[in-house]
Amino acid sequence: MANPTTNSGTVEELDAVVVGAGVSGLYQLYRLREAGLKVRCLEDGSGVGGTWYWNRYPGCRFDSESETYGYTFSKELQQEWNWKEHYSGQPENEQYLNFMADKFGLKRDIRFNSHVTSAVYDEKANRWDVQIENGQRLRTQFLIGAVGILSARYVPPFEGIDSFKGQSFHTSRWPKEKIDFTGKRVGVIGTGATAVQLIPIVAKEVAHLTVFQRTPNYCAPLRNALVSDESQRRFKATYDEIYQKCLSSPAGFPYDFDRRKALDVPREERLALYEELWAQPGFKKWLGNFRDIMTDRAANEDFAEFVRNKIRARVKDPKVAEMLAPKDHPFGAKRIPLETEYYEAYNRDNVLLVDINKTPIERITPKGLKTSDKEYEFDVLIYATGFDAISGPLTRMDIRGQGGQQLREKWAKGPRTVLGLQTAGFPNFFIATNTAFCNYTICAEKIVEWITDCIGYLRNKNYSRIAPTVQAEDAWVAHVNEMGSQTFLTSAKSWFVGDNIPGKAHAVLLYANTAPAYRAKLAETAAKGYEGFELR
Ligand code: NA7
């Protein structure tokens, strides 16, 4: 199919426009095309991959087991792809998503370098008018935002930020060319999951590295390894079982919580279990641990102290170890970063940790960064400062629904949706991002399938539009808040609740129920003819 150009001013008419060619967007494009719709996917980047296209910083990789992160919809794809590492790195992840896109011929329907600036609903015509930065326009019946949950980068508005004379990068806008850090003085701001992957690698290359930390995290060992031929064969022979295991587990990983109450288990037995979990790869020490660690303060503190002691054992300078040991939030209240030689980085002579609670950053200077204490000089400054998560990628676009209502205004106090998928007053606008507390692809595939089936249902029944009712939306928001209040996931200042962005409303952004419960709600809503939605 030719890629019609609309530079001449002609407007391309489509059944569906998918914004974003990441994990969800690629699959959404595939499914809608298979369903017979005329679809176009618009992608800001010059290639596919979303998160795995933009985040090219050293050390970027899955924290999910590779064999659980790949798509499950195609057995052929599963059999054709070989995972190189148990926790696959960004270059391979980008290759994988290219492989998938090429296998299904998706790129011919993707317009790259196409940054969507606005999408406005034309109520009379029941069409969305989509505007791309380069001036092109598309009109579509269905609009699907597959924009990811961590794609709107956040750079704190430090005074003097543009005055810096060296190189500076946000980790999610890392250049495609390799940065040579040899002999360089480098500063990193932030110590979240991204910085924790990057710091140990960069530390080995630079002349000197200074890390500016506001909040230490409970980082746990990733324990990555190459995939042996035998493991590769095992993945391919058991993909169905692996998937079933993920489907039945609370967060979409191939392990489940221990349902005993942590403190009911004798101390020695408990510690032995902690040690056993600690020795294993991945998130098992979080999501395969006692369940009440996420709900009971005393149980949480018991494991938190275990983790602090692990940090203390690895960092030689006791003062630095205490700076790195979190004490201000429960274990698991923020995303647990998985690390490889992170704490050892601070044992190096060329690495300095600065606590910016004690000596706050005052400004960026032409030479580097000034805290209340002194000026640090750098050749390179790295902003590992996170994202305006979940709602940010959508509210940063100018999306207008019925009566010209702006999504940004409607969501000023937090996202308002039903199932995370649609918002009242924005007919035929779907959000294909996984906001469940769930291994990304495991739930994203189900969301994409739900949207595809919903559109199929409308077409079969001769409906032309769908949007949730305000009542259903109120009920869903209340339910999301209720679920959020039952776990520690919402108890720290983090992107889970929008608190990492100054001025952003504090709101529960992740659906903190179990993934099976979320998927059951998806299925039930569809089975009841899209209960809570108005179909016209
Ligand atoms: P995160 O986890 O949001 O981490 C951002 C880091 O940047 C974190 O340490 C922040 O400190 C720090 N930060 C943010 N703003 C500032 C300012 N103004 N001054 C100093 N330090 C600041 O983002 P990541 O990219 O690491 O990870 C995002 C997700 O990607 C992660 O959860 C995984 O799911 C993958 P704070 O903790 O807010 O005190």
Side-chain angles (χ1 to χ4, degrees):
M1 197 192 300
N3 206 354
T5 162
T6 52
N7 275 336
S8 58
T10 42
V11 178
E12 195 180 2
E13 293 280 346
L14 295 150
D15 296 322
V17 165
V18 177
V19 184
V23 169
S24 304
L26 288 173
Y27 185 41
Q28 188 71 75
L29 168 61
Y30 169 73
R31 288 301 292 234
L32 290 176
R33 216 174 63 177
E34 289 291 292
L37 274 78
K38 192 175 173 206
V39 198
R40 194 71 68 209
C41 176
L42 304 175
E43 168 55 51
D44 205 357
S46 65
V48 302
T51 287
W52 306 108
Y53 169 90
W54 293 108
N55 288 269
R56 297 171 180 277
Y57 63 84
C60 179
R61 61 179 61 257
F62 290 160
D63 281 343
S64 301
E65 292 70 22
S66 304
E67 73 278 14
T68 72
Y69 194 98
Y71 293 106
T72 66
F73 73 91
S74 163
K75 293 205 188 316
E76 251 183 53
L77 178 63
Q78 285 179 324
Q79 295 304 317
E80 287 167 10
W81 182 258
N82 292 321
W83 293 108
K84 194 169 135 196
E85 295 175 272
H86 282 277
Y87 298 88
S88 180
Q90 180 273 333
E92 285 80 34
N93 305 344
E94 190 187 7
Q95 281 165 27
Y96 169 71
L97 291 165
N98 272 279
F99 181 79
M100 180 272 192
D102 289 335
K103 178 174 171 62
F104 297 104
L106 299 181
K107 288 180 185 168
R108 66 175 188 262
D109 288 324
I110 305 174
R111 280 205 212 155
F112 294 104
N113 306 305
S114 295
H115 178 73
V116 174
T117 51
S118 71
V120 177
Y121 181 62
D122 173 348
E123 190 155 4
K124 250 190 179 160
N126 187 32
R127 287 290 178 279
W128 283 90
D129 213 322
V130 181
Q131 184 74 51
I132 306 176
E133 200 169 42
N134 63 13
Q136 295 181 359
R137 267 178 67 203
L138 301 91
R139 274 171 77 82
T140 177
Q141 184 179 4
F142 298 103
L143 174 68
I144 296 115
V147 287
I149 59 171
L150 294 158
S151 57
R153 71 183 182 281
Y154 173 65
V155 179
F158 292 121
E159 221 185 302
I161 196 155
D162 294 328
S163 68
F164 182 57
K165 296 275 186 258
Q167 289 180 293
S168 59
F169 309 104
H170 186 276
T171 46
S172 79
R173 286 295 181 278
W174 202 264
K176 288 184 180 164
E177 318 72 60
K178 188 175 160 43
I179 309 285
D180 183 8
F181 286 112
T182 318
K184 301 219 167 114
R185 299 158 304 169
V186 178
V188 176
I189 305 174
T191 51
T194 295
V196 166
Q197 290 186 331
L198 168 136
I199 285 167
I201 295 175
V202 170
K204 288 180 188 161
E205 297 173 18
V206 297
H208 193 272
L209 179 70
T210 309
V211 178
F212 296 92
Q213 172 183 273
R214 191 163 66 181
T215 314
N217 273 301
Y218 296 93
C219 310
L222 173 65
R223 306 199 194 286
N224 191 19
L226 294 175
V227 173
S228 64
D229 290 347
E230 194 197 326
S231 295
Q232 198 79 252
R233 277 195 295 275
R234 181 169 48 80
F235 294 163
K236 291 189 182 183
T238 61
Y239 265 126
D240 287 349
E241 286 162 48
I242 294 168
Y243 183 49
Q244 288 309 320
K245 218 169 176 181
C246 291
L247 279 185
S248 65
S249 89
F253 289 89
Y255 28 80
D256 198 347
F257 287 114
D258 187 321
R259 279 154 212 257
R260 293 173 295 173
K261 282 190 183 328
L263 300 182
D264 285 353
V265 176
R267 189 178 145 75
E268 268 187 26
E269 195 184 323
R270 208 165 67 227
L271 286 177
L273 179 74
Y274 292 163
E275 289 292 354
E276 191 191 314
L277 289 172
W278 204 252
Q280 294 190 40
F283 281 131
K284 208 162 177 189
K285 44 284 225 197
W286 181 17
L287 307 173
N289 210 322
F290 295 110
R291 189 167 55 170
D292 65 350
I293 282 180
M294 289 308 290
T295 55
D296 180 84
R297 189 54 86 158
N300 189 287
E301 178 52 28
D302 189 63
F303 188 64
E305 187 57 15
F306 172 87
V307 180
R308 283 180 212 119
N309 285 334
K310 287 289 179 197
I311 298 170
R312 288 172 184 131
R314 285 169 65 186
V315 180
K316 285 187 189 144
D317 181 336
K319 274 197 200 131
V320 177
E322 284 316 309
M323 284 164 75
L324 289 165
K327 286 146 204 138
D328 70 336
H329 64 278
F331 175 88
K334 298 179 105 164
R335 160 72 145 75
I336 298 299
L338 295 181
E339 55 83 26
T340 305
E341 299 179 1
Y342 175 63
Y343 290 109
E344 285 70 21
Y346 295 98
N347 293 335
R348 300 175 64 95
D349 293 337
N350 69 337
V351 176
L352 172 72
L353 180 65
V354 176
D355 179 352
I356 55 168
N357 295 303
K358 289 209 174 111
T359 54
I361 297 175
E362 283 183 347
R363 57 178 296 126
I364 306 296
T365 67
K367 288 184 187 162
L369 180 159
K370 178 157 184 342
T371 65
S372 58
D373 179 43
K374 60 180 273 202
E375 183 174 7
Y376 296 83
E377 294 189 8
F378 297 120
D379 303 300
V380 183
L381 250 178
I382 299 173
Y383 294 94
T385 41
F387 301 88
D388 183 352
I390 299 185
S391 52
L394 294 171
T395 55
R396 284 185 184 189
M397 263 186 256
D398 185 8
I399 302 178
R400 291 169 195 250
Q402 280 168 320
Q405 187 184 18
Q406 254 196 329
L407 187 75
R408 185 181 303 150
E409 275 168 24
K410 182 181 170 185
W411 285 13
K413 291 186 181 151
R416 297 188 52 79
T417 71
V418 171
L419 296 164
L421 300 180
Q422 273 213 304
T423 185
F426 293 72
N428 295 346
F429 169 51
F430 294 91
I431 304 163
T433 56
N434 168 18
T435 52
F437 187 67
C438 176
N439 197 355
Y440 200 84
T441 317
I442 297 288
C443 287
E445 279 186 328
K446 296 288 185 200
I447 287 165
V448 164
E449 288 158 12
W450 191 95
I451 293 170
T452 312
D453 292 347
C454 176
I455 292 175
Y457 181 91
L458 296 178
R459 287 161 74 100
N460 285 339
K461 302 248 175 201
N462 281 325
Y463 290 116
S464 65
R465 66 185 86 182
I466 182 170
T469 64
V470 173
Q471 292 82 344
E473 192 175 271
D474 286 343
W476 180 255
V477 173
H479 172 60
V480 168
N481 289 336
E482 168 63 20
M483 294 311 301
S485 70
Q486 292 176 14
T487 109
F488 287 136
L489 283 175
T490 56
S491 67
K493 288 180 104 187
S494 82
W495 64 262
F496 291 170
V497 285
D499 286 351
N500 61 325
I501 306 295
K504 184 170 177 173
H506 173 89
V508 179
L509 299 176
L510 280 177
Y511 180 49
N513 204 341
T514 68
Y518 175 65
R519 291 192 306 267
K521 283 190 189 296
L522 292 182
E524 190 189 326
T525 306
K528 289 186 176 166
Y530 299 93
E531 192 181 47
F533 292 77
E534 200 185 354
L535 287 70
R536 286 208 279 151

